[in-house]
Amino acid sequence: MQGPLIDTLARQGVTRRTFLKYCATLASMMALPPAAGRAMAEAMAAVRRPSVIWLPFQECTGCTESITRSHSPTIEGMIFDMISLDYQETLMAAAGHQAEEARQNAMKANAGKYLLIVDGSIPLGQNGAYSCIGGRSNVDILKEAAGGAAAVIAVGTCASYGGIPKANPNPTGAVPVSDIVKDKPIVNIPGCPPIPVVMTGVLAHYLTFGSLPELDDKGRPKSFFGETIHDRCYRRPFYDQGKFAKTFDDEGARRGWCLFELGCKGPVTHNACATVKWNGGTSWPVESGHGCLGCSEPDFWDGGGFYKALSAPADPLKFAAAASVVGAAVGVGVSFANRAKKNKAKATHETITVADLEK
Amino acid sequence: MTDLQFLTWTRGPGLDLAVAVFLLGVLWRLIEIYTLGRKKDLAAPRHAPGASGLHTVFRRSLPPPGMLKRSPVSYIGGYVFHIGLAIIVFLGAPHVLLIKNLVGVSWPTLPSQFIGLTAVVTMAAMVLMLADRINKPVKRFLSTFEDWFTWAVTFLPVLTGWMATQHLLLPYTQMLALHILSAEILLVVLPFSKLFHGFTLFGSRWYNGRVNAHKGVPV
Amino acid sequence: MSASLEKGIHALKEVIDAPIASYFESCVHCGLCAEACLFHTETGDPKYTPIHKVEPLRRVYEREYTLLGRLKKMIGLSKPVTDAELDEWQELVYDSCTLCGRCSLVCPVGNDIVYMVRKLREGMAVSGHAPAGIRSATKNTVESGGPMGLKWPAVANVLRKAEESTGLRIPVDQEGAEYMVLLSSMEIVNYPEYIDALAKIFHKAGISFTLSSEAYEATNAGIQIGSSDLAKVIVSRIVDAAEKLKVKNVLSPECGHAYMAIRWEGPNLVGRPFKFNVVHVLELLDDLRLKGVLTMRDKLKDPLILHDPCQIVRRGGVLQAPEPLIRQVAENYIPIADKQKLNWCCGGGGGASAIHTEAAEALRATAFRIKKRQIEEAGVGTMVTFCANCRITIEEGFDHYEMNTKLLGLTELLAAHLEA
Amino acid sequence: MSLDAIPIQVVHTTPPGEPGLTGNAPPLLRELLEQVERLLETGVPSAIDLSALPLTPADMDWLRNALGPGEIDVTLDANGESTLSETGCPGVWWITHRNEQGAVTSQFLEVTFVPELVKAHPQDVAMGRETLERLLADL
C-alpha cells in the first residue's frame, strides 16, 4: 500500500492501520465484501487527487455542516484529503472574484474529469433570480459546471429531490439537479442532512473503482438506501406486536414502543440511519424517541404532516366545502328540472277514458 | 411514480378528490331523489301500535318471520359482512385514527389481531355471497355488471387492507397505497351505484313504514 | 282506440315520486322479495321476482328523473322503453302480480314494491298493455256499473229474495241511515247469502242501514287495471250517493280490492277527504262483538284455518278483527304460521282472477299450491275467508286440485250461527 | 420541574420476553468451517462481515460463546480502539473496530493465520529502521 495519499496521511499522523481500519468499516457499511476493504485501501492510497467542485445553491449549509462536523473529522476529512476541493464557498478561504476565478480555473484545467457536488435546490422562478452567485443564477452556473463534469453528486434532499425549497407552494420554482442535468450520471445522496459516511462512501467508491455505485430507481446508492428505516428499526418487533406509543409521554413511549401512530415515516423511508446511526453511532431519531420524518424521500415536507400516522389522511377535507356546495347545487338543479318535468306532465294530463285502454 | 409518491398521492390529493366526489355525489343524489316529492295521503288514517316510519327503519334490520329459513345465505352472509365491515371501519385503530383526523372524534379500538380475523371472516362471507349470487337463479337473473363491480369495489379495500397489515405479496408502502386507493374508489363509486343503499335504505324503510302506518299496518 | 306508448310514459312521469326514487336507489338485487312472492316460490322462475316486475318503471325513472340517466339518454347510452318490452312485461305486472304486497313486507332495504307495481300499472293501462280480461271488467264497471255488467233491477231482485228468505226488510235509498251497504257483483251473483247475513246482523244490532240504487257496486276494476282516472269515476258514484243519502258510514263488503278502493284510494282519487267513514264489514262485526251483540247460538266444530285476504288485512289494516271473530264462531280454529299480515295470497287478487288466458289460469293454479299446502299442513277440511274474490279463486283452486275442502265466508258463518 | 421529573428511561432494544435468538448464528459455523478448510488447503484468507448480517446481540453472544476464547488478544489503538482476538478455533479471529467514542463501527470474523492489520508494513518497518538509526546516532 503505497502512494501519494498514504504519504499525505502519514504526514498528518494518520497511520496506515488507521486507514485500513477505516476502509474496512467503510466497505462494511457499503455492503461490499470484507476483502474489498483492503482493495479500497490499496486503490485510494494510490489515487491521484481528482478535482472536485462543490456548488451550493438554495440550501442551508446543513449538508456541509453534517460532513464537516461529523464525529471523527480526521477520518471523514481523510476522504476530502483525497480530493482536490477546488471550490466550496463555505470552506474556502478565497472570496468574491478570487473564488469565482478558482472555479473557472478548475473547470478549465480538469474539463470532463472533475466531480461536481451540488447541495441545495435550483430555483427556476423569475428566471432563476431567487438565488444568484456573483450575479449569475444558480441554474446558469449549474448548467455550465455540469457541462464539464464527469459525474454529479447531489448531496442532500434539496439537490436530490428539491427538498424544503420545493415544498408547497414552492415560491421560487425550486427543482432538483436531475431536472436540469440530463446528460451526466447523477448520484443522489438525500437526507436532511445526509449521513456523512454515505457522502464519503460514494466518494470512496468513485475513487476506488473509478465508477459510481449501483443506484436505486431514485438515483440513490443501493448500499445505503436499499432498505427502509422500518425494516432495520430496532423497534420493529413492537410494530409487529401492535404495541404503539400513542403520545410522546405515555407508557408506550417510555417503554420504547413503535412510533408509527405518532407519525413515524420509517415504513416508507429508505435510509441507513437505523444501522449507521448519527453522532458517531450514538443514537438516531427513533432511538431518541421521535419518529422518522422521511427526510430522504422526495417531497417529504408535503407528506401530510410529521405527526400524522401513515394511515391518516394528509388533508382530506380540502375540497369538502366546495364539493358539498357543488353537490348541493347539482342536486337542486336536477331537482328543479325534475319538478318542472313532473309538473309539466301533470299539467298536460289528459283524463283517461275507457277508450284509452286499448290500442 | 415511486411507492412513496403513490402513497402520498393517495393520502393527499387522491383522498381529497375521493372525499370531494363522495360528498358531492351524496348531496346531489340525496337532493335529486328526495325532492321528487309525494302526494299527501287524504284517506283518514288508522293508528296502530308499532306502525310508523321510524319503527320500520329499525324493524327491517331483522328478518321477517320465516325469511331466515327461506334464504339463510342472504341473511347470515349479509349480516356477517355488513357487521364485519362496520367493525373494521369503525373499530380498527388506523380507521379510527383517520376518523379522528377527519372529524376530530375518536373512541377505543379493537386489537389488530381481532380486526385481522374480522377481515378474514368478512371476506369469507363476501365470497359466500358472491357464490350465492352466481348459484342462485334469482340472484343471477337480477345481477347486472353493477352487481359484480360493486362487489369487487367493496371487497378490494378489505383484501388490500388485510394484506397490507399481514405484509403479504407487496411491500407495505405499496399495499397501503393500494388499500387507500381502493377505499377511494369505493368512496367515488358509492353515491352513483347500488352502494348508495347505505344512505337511501333509511328513506326507503321510512316511506314504506309511513305509507303502511297510515293504514295501520306495522310493516 | 287511443292507447299509446307515449301516453304510458307520460303517465309514469306523472306518478314517479320520491318513494319510488328512493326504492330504486336502494335495491341491491338481493332477491329476497322473490322468496315472498308465491308466483316465484311455486314456479321457481326468477322472472317472477317482484323487483324485476317493475323494471320498466325503473328505466323510466332513471331516464327522466336522474341526472346520470338524462345524460345517458342524451348521448344515446340508454335505450327507451318500448312497446315490445311493455308487452313482455304485461304478464309480469298483471298475470303474476296480485298486488298482495307480501314482497313489500320482507324487502331488507324497505322497498314498497307493491306501491311501485300499482304505479307502473298506470302506464301499462294507458299504453294498451293491460290484459283483456281486466280491460273488459273495467269497461263494464265504468259503463254499466259493475265488472259483470250487473244492472240495478237484477240487484233489486236479489235483495227481494233476501228479504223473502230472512223475513227482514232491506232498505234502499234511505236517507240518514247509519250505514250505506256496498256489495260486490261477485257476492250478488255467487254469494247472495252475504246479503241475508248482513240483514240479520243489522237487525239484531238495531243499526239502521240502506243500500243505494245508484251505488251498490263496491269493486273497482279501475285500481286493478291501474287507471286512477277510471277508478275515480267508479269511486265517485259511491261518494256521491253516500253524501246524497247523508249516511254516517259506508260499509265495504268482504271483497278486498273494494275495501282498498273505497277506504284507502278513494279520498286520494277524488282529491279530498270523505265526509263519511268507510268501514269494513269485519270492523263493524268486531265492534258488535265487543258490544256483546254478536252472540252465537252455537259454534262450528270442524277444525278450520283462516285465509286473510291481502287487501283487507296486510294492505288494508284490518289486522285485529278476523281472529276474535272466527274464534267467536269456531271451536277449532287453528292459527297457521303465515297468518294476518304475513298471509299468502290466493293468487287471484289485483285483477288476476279476471284474466282468463290459458297461461294465466295455469299460473294461478300453480301458485295456488301454496294455499293447498297450508290446508294440508294444518290438516283441516275447512277454510274460512272474507273476500268474495278470494273465494272464487280458492274454489277454482279446489276444483283444479280436486280437493273437497269446504270454503266459508266469515260474515255468513257468523250469521248462520247468530243467536236469534 | 426538576430534571429527574422528565420521564425518560433507557430501554432495552429487544422487547421483554424475547429471547433474542434468531437462529441466524449457527449456519455461520458451517461457513467458517469451509473458510478454515480453504485456508488450510490454499492459504487464502477470508472474512465474514458480522455487521452486515441480521444478528441480534443475543446471536452475537451465542456465536462468541460457541467459538470460545483463544490465546491471543491484540489491541489496536488507531482512531478508536480495535480488538483482534483469536477465538477458541485457531485461525478464526474476532475483529471489532470501534470509533473514538467507543461505538462499534464494524465487526468481522477473519479466517487467517495472522490478521493483515497486525502485520507491520515494509514501509512502516522502514520508518522503524530510520527511527532506530536515529536513536543509535543519538547515542
Side-chain angles (χ1 to χ4, degrees):
Chain A
M1 193 168 67
Q2 295 178 332
L5 177 75
I6 201 72
D7 295 339
T8 319
L9 291 176
R11 273 199 299 279
Q12 292 177 359
V14 177
T15 69
R16 200 178 303 274
R17 286 197 179 94
T18 304
F19 185 62
L20 266 172
K21 172 178 165 179
Y22 170 72
C23 287
T25 299
L26 197 58
S28 169
M29 283 176 174
M30 292 174 73
L32 296 168
R38 185 158 181 85
M40 278 176 96
E42 296 277 3
M44 282 197 284
V47 85
R48 250 201 84 245
R49 293 174 10 128
S51 170
V52 172
I53 295 174
W54 182 314
L55 295 177
F57 294 140
Q58 269 194 150
E59 47 89 40
C60 66
T61 317
C63 300
T64 308
E65 285 290 319
S66 176
I67 197 160
T68 56
R69 307 281 174 193
S70 59
H71 64 283
S72 45
T74 51
I75 297 294
E76 304 303 338
M78 236 190 296
I79 292 298
F80 283 93
D81 287 330
M82 290 176 226
I83 60 177
S84 165
L85 191 53
D86 294 321
Y87 181 86
Q88 218 288 13
E89 281 177 4
T90 311
L91 303 178
M92 70 200 303
H97 293 295
Q98 253 185 330
E100 293 307 298
E101 207 180 302
R103 184 164 60 85
Q104 292 295 345
N105 289 343
M107 279 164 56
K108 255 182 236 144
N110 304 293
K113 285 181 281 184
Y114 61 86
L115 269 183
L116 179 64
I117 296 180
V118 178
D119 71 329
S121 64
I122 301 97
L124 296 182
Q126 305 286 349
N127 282 325
Y130 284 107
S131 178
C132 296
I133 300 163
R136 293 183 63 197
S137 71
N138 289 170
V139 58
D140 232 35
I141 298 171
L142 175 61
K143 279 180 178 165
E144 182 193 41
V152 185
I153 300 175
V155 165
T157 302
C158 296
S160 299
Y161 308 126
I164 295 169
K166 183 172 168 280
N168 277 334
N170 190 2
T172 64
V175 296
V177 172
S178 54
D179 274 18
I180 293 168
V181 179
K182 299 287 184 191
D183 54 350
K184 300 283 175 182
I186 301 172
V187 180
N188 288 330
I189 305 175
C192 193
I195 302 173
V197 77
V198 179
M199 293 191 259
T200 50
V202 171
L203 283 176
H205 192 285
Y206 180 73
L207 294 171
T208 309
F209 305 108
S211 66
L212 297 170
E214 200 188 347
L215 306 178
D216 70 3
D217 58 345
K218 287 176 196 154
R220 303 177 291 203
K222 274 188 181 168
S223 46
F224 293 105
F225 295 91
E227 284 173 287
T228 65
I229 297 290
H230 190 58
D231 289 336
R232 303 301 296 262
C233 179
Y234 75 101
R235 295 196 188 201
R236 176 64 183 266
F238 293 116
Y239 173 86
D240 293 330
Q241 290 167 18
K243 291 177 177 167
F244 300 103
K246 309 277 181 190
T247 67
F248 283 108
D249 61 352
D250 70 356
E251 192 55 27
R254 262 166 247 145
R255 286 169 175 265
W257 287 356
C258 179
L259 300 165
F260 179 85
E261 290 192 7
L262 288 169
C264 180
K265 303 296 180 289
V268 296
T269 304
H270 294 76
N271 208 337
C273 305
T275 44
V276 174
K277 300 192 184 179
W278 286 80
N279 299 326
T282 309
S283 183
W284 61 292
V286 170
E287 200 172 336
S288 309
H290 193 285
C292 168
L293 302 183
C295 75
S296 59
E297 294 292 330
D299 300 322
F300 79 102
W301 201 261
D302 296 317
F306 294 153
Y307 302 100
K308 273 190 179 175
L310 271 173
S311 62
D315 183 17
L317 297 178
K318 203 167 165 188
F319 312 125
S324 303
V325 170
V326 173
V330 172
V332 169
V334 180
S335 165
F336 271 106
N338 281 349
R339 279 168 168 266
K341 186 181 257 186
K342 194 170 165 182
N343 288 337
K344 194 183 158 208
K346 278 184 181 165
T348 55
H349 176 83
E350 290 173 35
T351 306
I352 307 299
T353 64
V354 173
D356 292 318
L357 298 179
E358 282 169 65
K359 284 201 180 177
Chain B
M1 191 184 260
T2 63
D3 293 0
L4 188 64
Q5 280 171 321
F6 179 35
L7 176 63
T8 306
W9 186 88
T10 58
R11 289 177 62 217
L15 195 62
D16 276 348
L17 214 65
V19 169
V21 172
F22 175 77
L23 287 172
L24 184 150
V26 167
L27 281 168
W28 149 16
R29 301 299 327 276
L30 284 178
I31 296 171
E32 176 179 88
I33 292 163
Y34 291 103
T35 57
L36 261 177
R38 70 187 180 106
K39 275 191 186 163
K40 192 176 182 286
D41 195 337
L42 300 169
R46 185 209 309 274
H47 299 288
S52 77
L54 201 62
H55 273 99
T56 302
V57 168
F58 290 103
R59 193 179 294 128
R60 276 307 156 92
S61 299
L62 295 172
M67 287 300 284
L68 187 62
K69 226 197 235 166
R70 281 190 170 269
S71 206
V73 176
S74 296
Y75 278 106
I76 296 169
Y79 274 124
V80 169
F81 101 78
H82 276 96
I83 294 171
L85 285 178
I87 289 176
I88 297 166
V89 171
F90 295 112
L91 294 173
H95 301 144
V96 172
L97 216 58
L98 173 97
I99 294 166
K100 189 182 172 188
N101 269 276
L102 278 171
V103 290
V105 288
S106 72
W107 46 83
T109 59
L110 288 172
S112 53
Q113 290 91 336
F114 184 82
I115 297 296
L117 186 73
T118 308
V120 173
V121 172
T122 301
M123 287 189 286
M126 288 193 74
V127 169
L128 184 71
M129 294 294 277
L130 184 69
D132 199 43
R133 189 169 280 288
I134 294 166
N135 275 329
K136 219 172 189 180
V138 166
K139 281 192 179 177
R140 192 171 56 232
F141 178 78
L142 290 176
S143 296
T144 60
F145 168 75
E146 192 186 318
D147 292 289
W148 312 113
F149 178 68
T150 49
W151 182 91
V153 163
T154 313
F155 188 76
L156 279 177
V158 188
L159 180 70
T160 51
W162 179 73
M163 284 172 78
T165 54
Q166 304 295 319
H167 295 92
L168 296 174
L169 198 66
L170 290 176
Y172 181 76
T173 312
Q174 278 173 37
M175 210 34 119
L176 179 64
L178 285 176
H179 172 62
I180 297 174
L181 184 71
S182 65
E184 283 159 7
I185 292 170
L186 179 67
L187 279 179
V188 169
V189 168
L190 194 143
F192 307 103
S193 67
K194 72 169 191 176
L195 298 177
F196 201 49
H197 76 272
F199 284 83
T200 55
L201 85 89
F202 300 102
S204 296
R205 287 177 179 184
W206 192 82
Y207 278 137
N208 190 346
R210 179 138 176 96
V211 164
N212 286 289
H214 193 82
K215 300 190 283 192
V217 185
V219 291
Chain C
M1 297 287 184
S2 56
S4 70
L5 179 65
E6 290 67 40
K7 279 191 177 171
I9 305 290
H10 190 278
L12 294 181
K13 276 156 74 173
E14 284 182 64
V15 298
I16 289 169
D17 57 6
I20 289 181
S22 182
Y23 297 154
F24 281 130
E25 297 296 348
S26 300
C27 181
V28 292
H29 289 171
C30 71
L32 286 172
C33 49
E35 302 298 332
C37 178
L38 72 166
F39 291 97
H40 170 262
T41 60
E42 301 314 304
T43 62
D45 193 331
K47 75 176 175 181
Y48 295 131
T49 305
I51 196 70
H52 177 63
K53 294 173 185 171
V54 291
E55 178 65 12
L57 182 65
R58 191 195 67 77
R59 303 250 320 269
V60 172
Y61 156 69
E62 193 193 9
R63 284 168 60 84
E64 303 295 339
Y65 290 121
T66 68
L67 180 56
L68 289 180
R70 284 164 170 229
L71 292 174
K72 271 202 236 168
K73 185 174 154 186
M74 247 190 272
I75 56 171
L77 266 179
S78 80
K79 291 197 181 72
V81 174
T82 62
D83 251 325
E85 193 180 343
L86 293 184
D87 201 38
E88 194 189 330
W89 250 264
Q90 176 178 316
E91 186 219 350
L92 301 177
V93 179
Y94 291 100
D95 299 26
S96 68
C97 179
T98 60
L99 301 178
C100 85
R102 209 172 183 278
C103 48
S104 297
L105 208 69
V106 305
C107 175
V109 295
N111 290 351
D112 194 348
I113 303 172
V114 66
Y115 179 95
M116 296 197 271
V117 177
R118 169 67 186 85
K119 301 270 187 184
L120 175 54
R121 285 190 181 188
E122 293 280 346
M124 295 295 280
V126 293
S127 59
H129 292 290
I134 308 183
R135 273 206 314 258
S136 63
T138 309
K139 213 171 153 208
N140 283 340
T141 315
V142 172
E143 288 172 353
S144 58
M148 296 171 166
L150 212 60
K151 298 272 197 285
W152 173 251
V155 180
N157 201 24
V158 173
L159 293 180
R160 220 172 11 256
K161 274 185 192 160
E163 284 187 323
E164 280 166 22
S165 75
T166 57
L168 299 166
R169 206 175 76 80
I170 298 173
V172 171
D173 292 334
Q174 189 179 317
E175 261 189 51
E178 261 189 84
Y179 283 89
M180 182 177 108
V181 174
L182 298 174
L183 301 170
S184 71
S185 291
M186 294 210 195
E187 279 154 348
I188 300 166
V189 175
N190 296 321
Y191 310 106
E193 314 89 85
Y194 172 75
I195 301 162
D196 297 22
L198 219 53
K200 281 193 215 168
I201 291 164
F202 271 121
H203 278 97
K204 182 158 188 251
I207 297 169
S208 63
F209 73 104
T210 184
L211 272 88
S212 166
S213 60
E214 285 164 21
Y216 47 88
E217 174 63 58
T219 60
N220 193 327
I223 66 161
Q224 295 180 329
I225 200 165
S227 172
S228 291
D229 286 350
L230 297 175
K232 180 183 174 181
V233 170
I234 298 165
V235 86
S236 294
R237 290 175 190 152
I238 299 167
V239 178
D240 293 347
E243 286 175 0
K244 194 171 137 194
L245 293 176
K246 299 187 183 68
V247 294
K248 277 192 206 138
N249 305 290
V250 166
L251 190 71
S252 170
E254 284 193 338
C255 176
H257 281 277
Y259 181 62
M260 171 59 66
I262 180 85
R263 174 69 175 91
W264 299 115
E265 290 221 12
N268 295 304
L269 291 169
V270 299
R272 61 176 171 85
F274 292 161
K275 291 171 187 159
F276 50 86
N277 298 316
V278 178
V279 178
H280 188 264
V281 62
L282 287 200
E283 292 180 282
L284 170 65
L285 292 174
D286 198 40
D287 194 41
L288 295 175
R289 179 186 67 81
L290 289 169
K291 283 180 180 152
V293 179
L294 206 68
T295 49
M296 297 291 123
R297 185 183 65 232
D298 57 356
K299 285 194 177 186
L300 186 65
K301 302 268 187 305
D302 304 353
L304 54 85
I305 61 171
L306 200 58
H307 166 76
D308 293 294
C310 314
Q311 305 301 320
I312 299 169
V313 181
R314 172 167 49 243
R315 304 257 292 132
V318 184
L319 293 173
Q320 303 309 328
E323 276 202 321
L325 286 172
I326 191 75
R327 287 207 160 96
Q328 185 85 344
V329 70
E331 237 162 52
N332 287 305
Y333 162 63
I334 298 167
I336 51 173
D338 291 329
K339 59 168 190 171
Q340 287 178 330
K341 67 177 181 187
L342 287 169
N343 96 83
W344 290 93
C345 181
C346 61
S353 63
I355 309 170
H356 296 295
T357 62
E358 223 169 276
E361 284 181 347
L363 184 63
R364 272 206 298 288
T366 309
F368 188 73
R369 291 199 305 222
I370 195 147
K371 296 315 295 184
K372 183 167 175 275
R373 212 158 47 236
Q374 283 184 317
I375 293 166
E376 285 163 2
E377 277 168 13
V380 294
T382 307
M383 183 149 82
V384 177
T385 188
F386 38 99
C387 166
N389 189 57
C390 291
R391 284 171 78 173
I392 291 184
T393 311
I394 291 168
E395 276 180 354
E396 278 174 8
F398 286 172
D399 284 349
H400 184 269
Y401 290 103
E402 296 173 346
M403 297 161 70
N404 47 16
T405 314
K406 248 196 298 181
L407 184 68
L408 302 171
L410 182 54
T411 309
E412 293 144 56
L413 183 61
L414 285 163
H417 292 263
L418 197 65
E419 207 174 43
Chain D
M1 195 169 78
S2 77
L3 214 56
D4 298 338
I6 299 171
I8 288 175
Q9 112 187 18
V10 177
V11 293
H12 295 287
T13 53
T14 43
E18 290 269 311
L21 282 174
T22 61
N24 286 346
L28 285 178
L29 295 182
R30 198 171 299 278
E31 195 172 337
L32 281 175
L33 176 65
E34 280 176 26
Q35 294 188 349
V36 168
E37 278 169 356
R38 192 182 318 141
L39 181 68
L40 285 172
E41 283 163 23
T42 65
V44 176
S46 41
I48 296 171
D49 183 352
L50 290 176
S51 32
L53 297 173
L55 298 171
T56 61
D59 288 330
M60 290 284 203
D61 290 344
W62 184 91
L63 197 59
R64 205 187 294 271
N65 279 334
L67 293 171
E71 292 172 328
I72 303 174
D73 281 306
V74 180
T75 305
L76 167 68
D77 189 13
N79 269 96
E81 192 184 83
S82 294
T83 50
L84 302 93
S85 314
E86 197 181 34
T87 66
C89 310
V92 179
W93 296 75
W94 191 298
I95 297 171
T96 306
H97 294 308
R98 292 185 182 76
N99 62 19
E100 285 157 318
Q101 281 71 30
V104 174
T105 53
S106 55
Q107 250 180 129
F108 300 91
L109 276 175
E110 228 176 288
V111 178
T112 180
F113 294 111
V114 178
E116 201 62 34
L117 217 49
V118 175
K119 292 185 203 162
H121 193 274
Q123 259 189 1
D124 291 342
V125 177
M127 280 159 72
R129 184 183 60 197
E130 280 170 29
T131 310
L132 281 170
E133 282 167 359
R134 200 164 54 245
L135 285 172
L136 283 169
D138 288 351
L139 279 177

